Amino acid sequence: MLSRMAKRENPYISLIANIVLPTIVLTRLSVDGLLGPTYGLLAALSFPITYGALDFWRRKKVNFFSALGLASVLLTGGIGLLKLDPQYIALKEAGVPLLVSFAVFASMKTKFPIVKSFLQKLMDYDKVQTALEERKNTEAFDRHMTFANHLFAGSFLVSAALNFFLAKWIVVSAPGTEAFNAELGKMTALSFPVIALPITLMMAFVLYGIISKTEQLTDLNMEDFFFGAKGKEKEGSVS
């Protein structure tokens, strides 16, 4: 149990590496006389890329969302270094969450919906299924999970729209200039309060609804199934 906890992502380090440091470099150090636009952009991108590589090395596994985030960073760098039209930034910012939304919708047609796969890492899913079958509430739970999948996918559609309009509003200068880097830094800084925070709250609402519905349909308390049953936690702590 302790070894698994040690491998969980530190949200504060993630925030610093992916938002704070790139923002500082892009807005303060990308001027001529310091790093300049090109090296400033490369330096800013190096933080999320290094963080992603170290996180992969530590966990020894590829996470779909982490891989998508790294691809997004590389696309931003490509647009900046190739000096493409800044409108591609807006398209890229919208395209990444749009792709996630489509992936969530598509997964609902398979045996491994993304939300279900995510929950299996957070709760004792076998225990929940057993309790549902005993109370003949499996179909009701499945209906709620379908609803949760739609909400989860919908949150990324909202993110795509917010990303597009934020990038379209802020990033207007040509890549390869100080102004472009500064605008990119401003967009990165605003992406957390304007986009990431509301979407995180929306996802928390979805998770809260799943937990509440699970408690209602299984007659179990959250402590009995969330993050594993108490018995499992004790067993894992010994190892």
Side-chain angles (χ1 to χ4, degrees):
M1 178 69 178
L2 292 177
S3 62
R4 287 197 300 268
M5 289 179 65
K7 291 185 178 181
R8 288 181 185 169
E9 183 179 30
N10 186 314
Y12 299 106
I13 295 178
S14 177
L15 183 66
I16 291 171
N18 292 303
I19 295 181
V20 176
L21 291 178
T23 298
I24 292 173
V25 172
L26 288 169
T27 57
R28 303 297 180 186
L29 304 180
S30 295
V31 297
D32 290 328
L34 292 176
L35 293 176
T38 300
Y39 288 113
L41 178 61
L42 289 172
L45 295 174
S46 70
F47 291 107
I49 291 174
T50 302
Y51 173 82
L54 290 174
D55 189 62
F56 169 74
W57 177 81
R58 187 167 59 93
R59 297 168 187 265
K60 300 296 189 296
K61 62 186 296 187
V62 177
N63 180 279
F64 172 76
F65 295 102
S66 298
L68 204 60
L70 182 59
S72 175
V73 170
L74 294 175
L75 283 172
T76 299
I79 293 169
L81 295 175
L82 294 175
K83 299 181 180 180
L84 302 178
D85 194 296
Q87 68 177 344
Y88 286 108
I89 290 291
L91 294 175
K92 187 273 298 183
E93 289 295 310
V96 171
L98 198 61
L99 182 60
V100 175
S101 179
F102 288 156
V104 175
F105 276 123
S107 73
M108 295 171 62
K109 303 296 183 181
T110 70
K111 295 181 180 180
F112 305 101
I114 287 179
V115 172
K116 179 180 177 180
S117 300
F118 177 67
L119 287 177
Q120 287 176 331
K121 299 178 182 179
L122 297 180
M123 64 171 61
D124 189 340
Y125 210 78
D126 291 337
K127 187 173 186 177
V128 169
Q129 287 298 315
T130 300
L132 289 169
E133 290 170 4
E134 289 174 352
R135 292 160 181 78
K136 296 181 172 56
N137 284 331
T138 302
E139 290 186 5
F141 182 78
D142 289 342
R143 285 195 298 271
H144 186 76
M145 288 297 296
T146 299
F147 176 68
N149 267 284
H150 280 95
L151 284 180
F152 189 66
S155 68
F156 283 99
L157 287 177
V158 173
S159 175
L162 291 175
N163 276 339
F164 178 81
F165 288 114
L166 184 67
K168 198 74 174 174
W169 172 50
I170 294 177
V171 184
V172 295
S173 299
T177 63
E178 293 180 17
F180 173 80
N181 281 16
E183 290 163 2
L184 202 60
K186 183 179 179 181
M187 183 188 72
T188 302
L190 288 176
S191 66
F192 180 74
V194 175
I195 298 171
L197 186 58
I199 297 302
T200 300
L201 293 175
M202 191 172 179
M203 291 180 180
F205 172 76
V206 172
L207 183 59
Y208 174 78
I210 291 173
I211 293 172
S212 299
K213 198 67 175 181
T214 302
E215 288 181 322
Q216 176 188 338
L217 295 175
T218 61
D219 290 332
L220 297 172
N221 293 320
M222 183 179 74
E223 292 79 8
D224 295 326
F225 62 84
F226 199 59
F227 291 118
K230 288 182 179 179
K232 279 193 174 184
E233 289 187 12
K234 292 178 181 178
E235 180 184 345
S237 62
V238 174
S239 61

Short mmCIF file of all heavy atoms in Angstrom, two decimals, residues 176-237:
data_model
loop_
_atom_site.label_atom_id
_atom_site.label_comp_id
_atom_site.label_asym_id
_atom_site.label_seq_id
_atom_site.Cartn_x
_atom_site.Cartn_y
_atom_site.Cartn_z
N GLY A 176 7.78 32.96 -32.90
CA GLY A 176 9.16 33.38 -33.08
C GLY A 176 9.42 34.79 -32.60
O GLY A 176 10.52 35.32 -32.79
N THR A 177 8.41 35.42 -31.98
CA THR A 177 8.56 36.78 -31.47
C THR A 177 8.41 36.79 -29.96
O THR A 177 7.84 35.87 -29.36
CB THR A 177 7.52 37.73 -32.09
OG1 THR A 177 6.20 37.28 -31.70
CG2 THR A 177 7.61 37.72 -33.61
N GLU A 178 8.91 37.86 -29.33
CA GLU A 178 8.74 38.02 -27.89
C GLU A 178 7.26 38.09 -27.52
O GLU A 178 6.83 37.53 -26.51
CB GLU A 178 9.45 39.29 -27.40
CG GLU A 178 10.96 39.25 -27.51
CD GLU A 178 11.59 40.53 -27.02
OE1 GLU A 178 10.90 41.31 -26.32
OE2 GLU A 178 12.77 40.78 -27.33
N ALA A 179 6.48 38.75 -28.35
CA ALA A 179 5.05 38.91 -28.08
C ALA A 179 4.34 37.56 -28.07
O ALA A 179 3.49 37.29 -27.21
CB ALA A 179 4.41 39.82 -29.12
N PHE A 180 4.71 36.68 -29.01
CA PHE A 180 4.10 35.35 -29.08
C PHE A 180 4.39 34.56 -27.80
O PHE A 180 3.49 33.95 -27.22
CB PHE A 180 4.64 34.60 -30.29
CG PHE A 180 4.19 33.16 -30.36
CD1 PHE A 180 2.93 32.83 -30.84
CD2 PHE A 180 5.03 32.13 -29.94
CE1 PHE A 180 2.50 31.51 -30.90
CE2 PHE A 180 4.62 30.81 -30.00
CZ PHE A 180 3.36 30.50 -30.48
N ASN A 181 5.64 34.58 -27.35
CA ASN A 181 6.00 33.85 -26.13
C ASN A 181 5.26 34.41 -24.92
O ASN A 181 4.80 33.66 -24.06
CB ASN A 181 7.51 33.92 -25.90
CG ASN A 181 8.27 32.94 -26.77
OD1 ASN A 181 7.72 32.43 -27.75
ND2 ASN A 181 9.51 32.66 -26.43
N ALA A 182 5.17 35.75 -24.86
CA ALA A 182 4.47 36.37 -23.74
C ALA A 182 3.00 35.99 -23.74
O ALA A 182 2.41 35.70 -22.68
CB ALA A 182 4.63 37.89 -23.80
N GLU A 183 2.39 35.97 -24.92
CA GLU A 183 0.98 35.58 -25.03
C GLU A 183 0.78 34.12 -24.68
O GLU A 183 -0.19 33.75 -24.02
CB GLU A 183 0.49 35.86 -26.44
CG GLU A 183 0.37 37.35 -26.76
CD GLU A 183 0.29 37.64 -28.25
OE1 GLU A 183 0.29 36.68 -29.05
OE2 GLU A 183 0.24 38.82 -28.63
N LEU A 184 1.73 33.28 -25.09
CA LEU A 184 1.67 31.86 -24.77
C LEU A 184 1.78 31.66 -23.25
O LEU A 184 1.08 30.84 -22.67
CB LEU A 184 2.80 31.12 -25.49
CG LEU A 184 2.63 29.61 -25.70
CD1 LEU A 184 1.39 29.32 -26.54
CD2 LEU A 184 3.88 29.04 -26.38
N GLY A 185 2.65 32.44 -22.62
CA GLY A 185 2.79 32.38 -21.17
C GLY A 185 1.53 32.83 -20.46
O GLY A 185 1.10 32.23 -19.47
N LYS A 186 0.92 33.90 -20.97
CA LYS A 186 -0.33 34.39 -20.38
C LYS A 186 -1.44 33.36 -20.51
O LYS A 186 -2.20 33.13 -19.57
CB LYS A 186 -0.74 35.70 -21.07
CG LYS A 186 -2.01 36.33 -20.48
CD LYS A 186 -2.34 37.64 -21.21
CE LYS A 186 -3.61 38.26 -20.65
NZ LYS A 186 -3.96 39.52 -21.37
N MET A 187 -1.51 32.72 -21.69
CA MET A 187 -2.53 31.69 -21.90
C MET A 187 -2.31 30.50 -20.95
O MET A 187 -3.26 29.96 -20.38
CB MET A 187 -2.49 31.21 -23.35
CG MET A 187 -3.56 30.17 -23.69
SD MET A 187 -3.34 29.44 -25.34
CE MET A 187 -1.88 28.41 -25.03
N THR A 188 -1.04 30.11 -20.78
CA THR A 188 -0.72 29.01 -19.88
C THR A 188 -1.12 29.34 -18.45
O THR A 188 -1.67 28.50 -17.74
CB THR A 188 0.80 28.69 -19.94
OG1 THR A 188 1.16 28.37 -21.29
CG2 THR A 188 1.14 27.52 -19.04
N ALA A 189 -0.84 30.58 -18.03
CA ALA A 189 -1.18 31.00 -16.67
C ALA A 189 -2.69 31.02 -16.45
O ALA A 189 -3.19 30.61 -15.40
CB ALA A 189 -0.58 32.37 -16.38
N LEU A 190 -3.43 31.51 -17.45
CA LEU A 190 -4.88 31.61 -17.32
C LEU A 190 -5.59 30.28 -17.50
O LEU A 190 -6.75 30.13 -17.09
CB LEU A 190 -5.43 32.61 -18.34
CG LEU A 190 -5.12 34.09 -18.07
CD1 LEU A 190 -5.65 34.94 -19.21
CD2 LEU A 190 -5.74 34.53 -16.75
N SER A 191 -4.90 29.31 -18.10
CA SER A 191 -5.55 28.02 -18.37
C SER A 191 -5.96 27.31 -17.09
O SER A 191 -6.93 26.55 -17.08
CB SER A 191 -4.62 27.11 -19.18
OG SER A 191 -3.49 26.74 -18.42
N PHE A 192 -5.23 27.56 -15.98
CA PHE A 192 -5.59 26.88 -14.73
C PHE A 192 -6.86 27.45 -14.12
O PHE A 192 -7.83 26.71 -13.91
CB PHE A 192 -4.44 26.93 -13.73
CG PHE A 192 -4.75 26.24 -12.44
CD1 PHE A 192 -4.77 24.85 -12.38
CD2 PHE A 192 -5.06 26.96 -11.29
CE1 PHE A 192 -5.08 24.19 -11.20
CE2 PHE A 192 -5.37 26.31 -10.11
CZ PHE A 192 -5.38 24.92 -10.06
N PRO A 193 -6.93 28.77 -13.81
CA PRO A 193 -8.18 29.27 -13.21
C PRO A 193 -9.37 29.30 -14.16
O PRO A 193 -10.51 29.14 -13.73
CB PRO A 193 -7.80 30.69 -12.77
CG PRO A 193 -6.69 31.09 -13.67
CD PRO A 193 -5.91 29.82 -13.93
N VAL A 194 -9.12 29.51 -15.46
CA VAL A 194 -10.22 29.67 -16.41
C VAL A 194 -10.73 28.32 -16.92
O VAL A 194 -11.92 28.15 -17.18
CB VAL A 194 -9.78 30.56 -17.60
CG1 VAL A 194 -10.86 30.61 -18.66
CG2 VAL A 194 -9.46 31.96 -17.11
N ILE A 195 -9.82 27.34 -17.07
CA ILE A 195 -10.21 26.07 -17.68
C ILE A 195 -10.03 24.89 -16.74
O ILE A 195 -10.97 24.16 -16.44
CB ILE A 195 -9.40 25.83 -18.97
CG1 ILE A 195 -9.69 26.94 -19.99
CG2 ILE A 195 -9.73 24.46 -19.58
CD1 ILE A 195 -8.78 26.92 -21.20
N ALA A 196 -8.80 24.68 -16.26
CA ALA A 196 -8.50 23.48 -15.48
C ALA A 196 -9.31 23.40 -14.20
O ALA A 196 -9.84 22.34 -13.85
CB ALA A 196 -7.00 23.43 -15.16
N LEU A 197 -9.43 24.51 -13.48
CA LEU A 197 -10.15 24.49 -12.20
C LEU A 197 -11.63 24.19 -12.38
O LEU A 197 -12.17 23.29 -11.71
CB LEU A 197 -9.94 25.82 -11.46
CG LEU A 197 -10.51 25.90 -10.04
CD1 LEU A 197 -9.91 24.80 -9.17
CD2 LEU A 197 -10.25 27.27 -9.44
N PRO A 198 -12.35 24.88 -13.29
CA PRO A 198 -13.77 24.54 -13.48
C PRO A 198 -13.98 23.10 -13.96
O PRO A 198 -14.91 22.42 -13.51
CB PRO A 198 -14.23 25.54 -14.55
CG PRO A 198 -13.29 26.68 -14.45
CD PRO A 198 -11.98 26.06 -14.08
N ILE A 199 -13.11 22.62 -14.86
CA ILE A 199 -13.25 21.25 -15.36
C ILE A 199 -12.98 20.25 -14.24
O ILE A 199 -13.65 19.22 -14.13
CB ILE A 199 -12.30 21.00 -16.55
CG1 ILE A 199 -12.68 21.91 -17.72
CG2 ILE A 199 -12.34 19.54 -16.97
CD1 ILE A 199 -14.10 21.76 -18.21
N THR A 200 -11.99 20.55 -13.39
CA THR A 200 -11.69 19.68 -12.25
C THR A 200 -12.88 19.60 -11.31
O THR A 200 -13.23 18.52 -10.81
CB THR A 200 -10.45 20.18 -11.49
OG1 THR A 200 -9.33 20.18 -12.38
CG2 THR A 200 -10.14 19.29 -10.29
N LEU A 201 -13.52 20.74 -11.06
CA LEU A 201 -14.71 20.77 -10.20
C LEU A 201 -15.85 19.97 -10.83
O LEU A 201 -16.59 19.27 -10.12
CB LEU A 201 -15.14 22.22 -9.94
CG LEU A 201 -14.18 23.06 -9.10
CD1 LEU A 201 -14.66 24.50 -9.02
CD2 LEU A 201 -14.06 22.48 -7.68
N MET A 202 -15.99 20.08 -12.14
CA MET A 202 -17.02 19.33 -12.85
C MET A 202 -16.78 17.82 -12.74
O MET A 202 -17.70 17.04 -12.50
CB MET A 202 -17.04 19.76 -14.32
CG MET A 202 -18.24 19.25 -15.10
SD MET A 202 -18.30 20.01 -16.76
CE MET A 202 -19.75 19.20 -17.43
N MET A 203 -15.52 17.41 -12.88
CA MET A 203 -15.18 15.99 -12.74
C MET A 203 -15.38 15.52 -11.31
O MET A 203 -15.80 14.38 -11.08
CB MET A 203 -13.74 15.76 -13.19
CG MET A 203 -13.50 15.94 -14.67
SD MET A 203 -11.78 15.63 -15.12
CE MET A 203 -11.86 15.93 -16.89
N ALA A 204 -15.06 16.39 -10.34
CA ALA A 204 -15.29 16.03 -8.94
C ALA A 204 -16.78 15.83 -8.67
O ALA A 204 -17.17 14.94 -7.90
CB ALA A 204 -14.73 17.13 -8.02
N PHE A 205 -17.60 16.64 -9.33
CA PHE A 205 -19.05 16.48 -9.20
C PHE A 205 -19.50 15.13 -9.76
O PHE A 205 -20.34 14.45 -9.17
CB PHE A 205 -19.75 17.63 -9.95
CG PHE A 205 -21.25 17.47 -10.04
CD1 PHE A 205 -22.06 17.73 -8.95
CD2 PHE A 205 -21.84 17.07 -11.23
CE1 PHE A 205 -23.44 17.58 -9.03
CE2 PHE A 205 -23.22 16.92 -11.33
CZ PHE A 205 -24.01 17.18 -10.23
N VAL A 206 -18.91 14.73 -10.90
CA VAL A 206 -19.24 13.42 -11.49
C VAL A 206 -18.84 12.31 -10.55
O VAL A 206 -19.60 11.36 -10.30
CB VAL A 206 -18.53 13.26 -12.85
CG1 VAL A 206 -18.72 11.84 -13.38
CG2 VAL A 206 -19.07 14.26 -13.87
N LEU A 207 -17.63 12.41 -9.98
CA LEU A 207 -17.14 11.38 -9.06
C LEU A 207 -18.00 11.32 -7.80
O LEU A 207 -18.32 10.23 -7.31
CB LEU A 207 -15.68 11.66 -8.69
CG LEU A 207 -15.00 10.63 -7.78
CD1 LEU A 207 -15.00 9.25 -8.43
CD2 LEU A 207 -13.58 11.07 -7.46
N TYR A 208 -18.39 12.48 -7.29
CA TYR A 208 -19.25 12.52 -6.10
C TYR A 208 -20.59 11.84 -6.39
O TYR A 208 -21.11 11.10 -5.56
CB TYR A 208 -19.48 13.96 -5.67
CG TYR A 208 -20.48 14.11 -4.54
CD1 TYR A 208 -20.12 13.85 -3.23
CD2 TYR A 208 -21.79 14.52 -4.81
CE1 TYR A 208 -21.04 13.97 -2.19
CE2 TYR A 208 -22.72 14.64 -3.79
CZ TYR A 208 -22.34 14.37 -2.48
OH TYR A 208 -23.26 14.49 -1.46
N GLY A 209 -21.13 12.08 -7.59
CA GLY A 209 -22.40 11.45 -7.96
C GLY A 209 -22.27 9.93 -8.04
O GLY A 209 -23.18 9.20 -7.62
N ILE A 210 -21.14 9.45 -8.56
CA ILE A 210 -20.92 8.01 -8.65
C ILE A 210 -20.83 7.39 -7.27
O ILE A 210 -21.42 6.34 -6.99
CB ILE A 210 -19.64 7.71 -9.46
CG1 ILE A 210 -19.84 8.08 -10.93
CG2 ILE A 210 -19.25 6.23 -9.34
CD1 ILE A 210 -18.59 7.97 -11.77
N ILE A 211 -20.08 8.05 -6.38
CA ILE A 211 -19.93 7.53 -5.01
C ILE A 211 -21.28 7.50 -4.30
O ILE A 211 -21.64 6.50 -3.64
CB ILE A 211 -18.92 8.38 -4.22
CG1 ILE A 211 -17.52 8.21 -4.81
CG2 ILE A 211 -18.92 7.99 -2.75
CD1 ILE A 211 -16.48 9.14 -4.23
N SER A 212 -22.04 8.58 -4.41
CA SER A 212 -23.36 8.65 -3.74
C SER A 212 -24.30 7.57 -4.27
O SER A 212 -25.00 6.90 -3.51
CB SER A 212 -23.99 10.03 -3.95
OG SER A 212 -23.19 11.04 -3.39
N LYS A 213 -24.31 7.40 -5.60
CA LYS A 213 -25.18 6.39 -6.21
C LYS A 213 -24.74 4.98 -5.82
O LYS A 213 -25.58 4.10 -5.58
CB LYS A 213 -25.15 6.54 -7.73
CG LYS A 213 -26.32 5.87 -8.43
CD LYS A 213 -27.63 6.56 -8.10
CE LYS A 213 -28.80 5.98 -8.89
NZ LYS A 213 -30.07 6.67 -8.58
N THR A 214 -23.43 4.78 -5.73
CA THR A 214 -22.92 3.46 -5.33
C THR A 214 -23.33 3.15 -3.90
O THR A 214 -23.75 2.02 -3.59
CB THR A 214 -21.38 3.42 -5.45
OG1 THR A 214 -21.01 3.72 -6.81
CG2 THR A 214 -20.84 2.05 -5.09
N GLU A 215 -23.22 4.13 -3.02
CA GLU A 215 -23.66 3.92 -1.63
C GLU A 215 -25.15 3.58 -1.59
O GLU A 215 -25.58 2.69 -0.84
CB GLU A 215 -23.39 5.18 -0.80
CG GLU A 215 -21.92 5.42 -0.50
CD GLU A 215 -21.70 6.66 0.35
OE1 GLU A 215 -22.42 7.66 0.12
OE2 GLU A 215 -20.83 6.64 1.23
N GLN A 216 -25.94 4.29 -2.36
CA GLN A 216 -27.39 4.10 -2.37
C GLN A 216 -27.78 2.71 -2.89
O GLN A 216 -28.66 2.05 -2.33
CB GLN A 216 -28.05 5.17 -3.24
CG GLN A 216 -29.55 5.02 -3.39
CD GLN A 216 -30.11 5.99 -4.42
OE1 GLN A 216 -29.51 7.01 -4.73
NE2 GLN A 216 -31.28 5.68 -4.96
N LEU A 217 -27.11 2.26 -3.95
CA LEU A 217 -27.50 1.00 -4.60
C LEU A 217 -26.88 -0.24 -3.97
O LEU A 217 -27.34 -1.36 -4.20
CB LEU A 217 -27.12 1.04 -6.08
CG LEU A 217 -27.85 2.07 -6.94
CD1 LEU A 217 -27.30 2.09 -8.36
CD2 LEU A 217 -29.35 1.81 -6.97
N THR A 218 -25.82 -0.05 -3.17
CA THR A 218 -25.15 -1.21 -2.57
C THR A 218 -25.37 -1.31 -1.06
O THR A 218 -25.05 -2.35 -0.46
CB THR A 218 -23.63 -1.14 -2.82
OG1 THR A 218 -23.09 0.05 -2.21
CG2 THR A 218 -23.32 -1.15 -4.30
N ASP A 219 -25.87 -0.22 -0.43
CA ASP A 219 -25.99 -0.16 1.03
C ASP A 219 -24.63 -0.26 1.71
O ASP A 219 -24.53 -0.68 2.87
CB ASP A 219 -26.92 -1.26 1.56
CG ASP A 219 -28.38 -1.01 1.20
OD1 ASP A 219 -28.75 0.17 1.05
OD2 ASP A 219 -29.14 -1.99 1.06
N LEU A 220 -23.58 0.13 0.99
CA LEU A 220 -22.23 0.18 1.56
C LEU A 220 -21.88 1.63 1.84
O LEU A 220 -22.40 2.55 1.19
CB LEU A 220 -21.21 -0.41 0.58
CG LEU A 220 -21.34 -1.89 0.22
CD1 LEU A 220 -20.36 -2.22 -0.90
CD2 LEU A 220 -21.10 -2.78 1.42
N ASN A 221 -21.00 1.84 2.81
CA ASN A 221 -20.46 3.17 3.04
C ASN A 221 -19.25 3.38 2.14
O ASN A 221 -18.60 2.42 1.72
CB ASN A 221 -20.03 3.33 4.50
CG ASN A 221 -21.21 3.31 5.44
OD1 ASN A 221 -22.27 3.87 5.15
ND2 ASN A 221 -21.05 2.64 6.58
N MET A 222 -18.94 4.63 1.85
CA MET A 222 -17.82 4.95 0.97
C MET A 222 -16.53 4.29 1.47
O MET A 222 -15.73 3.79 0.67
CB MET A 222 -17.63 6.46 0.87
CG MET A 222 -16.52 6.88 -0.09
SD MET A 222 -16.31 8.67 -0.21
CE MET A 222 -15.52 8.99 1.38
N GLU A 223 -16.33 4.26 2.79
CA GLU A 223 -15.12 3.68 3.36
C GLU A 223 -15.00 2.19 3.07
O GLU A 223 -13.91 1.62 3.15
CB GLU A 223 -15.08 3.91 4.88
CG GLU A 223 -14.91 5.36 5.30
CD GLU A 223 -16.22 6.14 5.23
OE1 GLU A 223 -17.28 5.50 5.00
OE2 GLU A 223 -16.18 7.37 5.38
N ASP A 224 -16.12 1.55 2.73
CA ASP A 224 -16.10 0.11 2.49
C ASP A 224 -15.61 -0.25 1.09
O ASP A 224 -15.20 -1.39 0.86
CB ASP A 224 -17.51 -0.48 2.67
CG ASP A 224 -18.00 -0.37 4.10
OD1 ASP A 224 -17.15 -0.46 5.01
OD2 ASP A 224 -19.21 -0.18 4.30
N PHE A 225 -15.66 0.71 0.16
CA PHE A 225 -15.27 0.37 -1.21
C PHE A 225 -14.34 1.36 -1.88
O PHE A 225 -13.63 1.04 -2.82
CB PHE A 225 -16.51 0.19 -2.10
CG PHE A 225 -17.36 1.43 -2.23
CD1 PHE A 225 -17.07 2.40 -3.17
CD2 PHE A 225 -18.48 1.60 -1.42
CE1 PHE A 225 -17.86 3.54 -3.29
CE2 PHE A 225 -19.28 2.73 -1.54
CZ PHE A 225 -18.96 3.70 -2.48
N PHE A 226 -14.30 2.61 -1.40
CA PHE A 226 -13.49 3.61 -2.08
C PHE A 226 -12.03 3.47 -1.67
O PHE A 226 -11.71 3.36 -0.49
CB PHE A 226 -14.00 5.00 -1.74
CG PHE A 226 -13.56 6.06 -2.72
CD1 PHE A 226 -13.88 5.97 -4.05
CD2 PHE A 226 -12.81 7.15 -2.29
CE1 PHE A 226 -13.47 6.94 -4.96
CE2 PHE A 226 -12.42 8.12 -3.18
CZ PHE A 226 -12.74 8.02 -4.51
N PHE A 227 -11.13 3.48 -2.67
CA PHE A 227 -9.71 3.22 -2.47
C PHE A 227 -9.47 1.86 -1.83
O PHE A 227 -8.53 1.66 -1.07
CB PHE A 227 -9.05 4.30 -1.59
CG PHE A 227 -8.97 5.64 -2.26
CD1 PHE A 227 -9.62 6.73 -1.72
CD2 PHE A 227 -8.25 5.79 -3.43
CE1 PHE A 227 -9.54 7.96 -2.33
CE2 PHE A 227 -8.18 7.02 -4.06
CZ PHE A 227 -8.82 8.10 -3.51
N GLY A 228 -10.35 0.90 -2.11
CA GLY A 228 -10.20 -0.45 -1.57
C GLY A 228 -10.88 -0.56 -0.22
O GLY A 228 -11.06 0.41 0.50
N ALA A 229 -11.30 -1.77 0.13
CA ALA A 229 -11.92 -2.01 1.43
C ALA A 229 -10.89 -1.85 2.53
O ALA A 229 -9.69 -1.95 2.32
CB ALA A 229 -12.53 -3.41 1.47
N LYS A 230 -11.37 -1.62 3.76
CA LYS A 230 -10.46 -1.41 4.88
C LYS A 230 -9.54 -2.61 5.06
O LYS A 230 -8.37 -2.49 5.38
CB LYS A 230 -11.25 -1.16 6.16
CG LYS A 230 -11.92 0.20 6.19
CD LYS A 230 -12.64 0.40 7.51
CE LYS A 230 -13.30 1.78 7.56
NZ LYS A 230 -14.03 1.99 8.82
N GLY A 231 -10.11 -3.78 4.87
CA GLY A 231 -9.31 -4.99 5.02
C GLY A 231 -8.15 -5.03 4.05
O GLY A 231 -7.05 -5.43 4.39
N LYS A 232 -8.39 -4.58 2.81
CA LYS A 232 -7.34 -4.58 1.80
C LYS A 232 -6.23 -3.59 2.15
O LYS A 232 -5.07 -3.81 1.93
CB LYS A 232 -7.91 -4.24 0.42
CG LYS A 232 -8.57 -5.41 -0.26
CD LYS A 232 -8.82 -5.07 -1.71
CE LYS A 232 -9.34 -6.29 -2.46
NZ LYS A 232 -9.51 -6.01 -3.88
N GLU A 233 -6.65 -2.41 2.70
CA GLU A 233 -5.67 -1.41 3.08
C GLU A 233 -4.73 -1.94 4.14
O GLU A 233 -3.53 -1.74 4.13
CB GLU A 233 -6.37 -0.14 3.56
CG GLU A 233 -7.06 0.62 2.43
CD GLU A 233 -7.59 1.94 2.92
OE1 GLU A 233 -7.25 2.34 4.04
OE2 GLU A 233 -8.37 2.56 2.19
N LYS A 234 -5.32 -2.65 5.14
CA LYS A 234 -4.50 -3.20 6.20
C LYS A 234 -3.56 -4.25 5.67
O LYS A 234 -2.39 -4.33 6.02
CB LYS A 234 -5.40 -3.80 7.29
CG LYS A 234 -6.20 -2.75 8.06
CD LYS A 234 -7.11 -3.39 9.09
CE LYS A 234 -7.92 -2.33 9.82
NZ LYS A 234 -8.86 -2.96 10.80
N GLU A 235 -4.07 -5.10 4.77
CA GLU A 235 -3.24 -6.15 4.18
C GLU A 235 -2.11 -5.54 3.38
O GLU A 235 -0.97 -5.98 3.45
CB GLU A 235 -4.12 -7.01 3.29
CG GLU A 235 -3.34 -8.14 2.62
CD GLU A 235 -4.22 -8.92 1.66
OE1 GLU A 235 -5.45 -8.78 1.72
OE2 GLU A 235 -3.66 -9.70 0.87
N GLY A 236 -2.42 -4.47 2.61
CA GLY A 236 -1.39 -3.83 1.78
C GLY A 236 -0.35 -3.12 2.62
O GLY A 236 0.82 -3.06 2.28
N SER A 237 -0.76 -2.55 3.79
CA SER A 237 0.19 -1.82 4.61
C SER A 237 1.23 -2.74 5.22
O SER A 237 2.35 -2.34 5.49
CB SER A 237 -0.56 -1.06 5.72
OG SER A 237 -1.24 -1.97 6.56
#
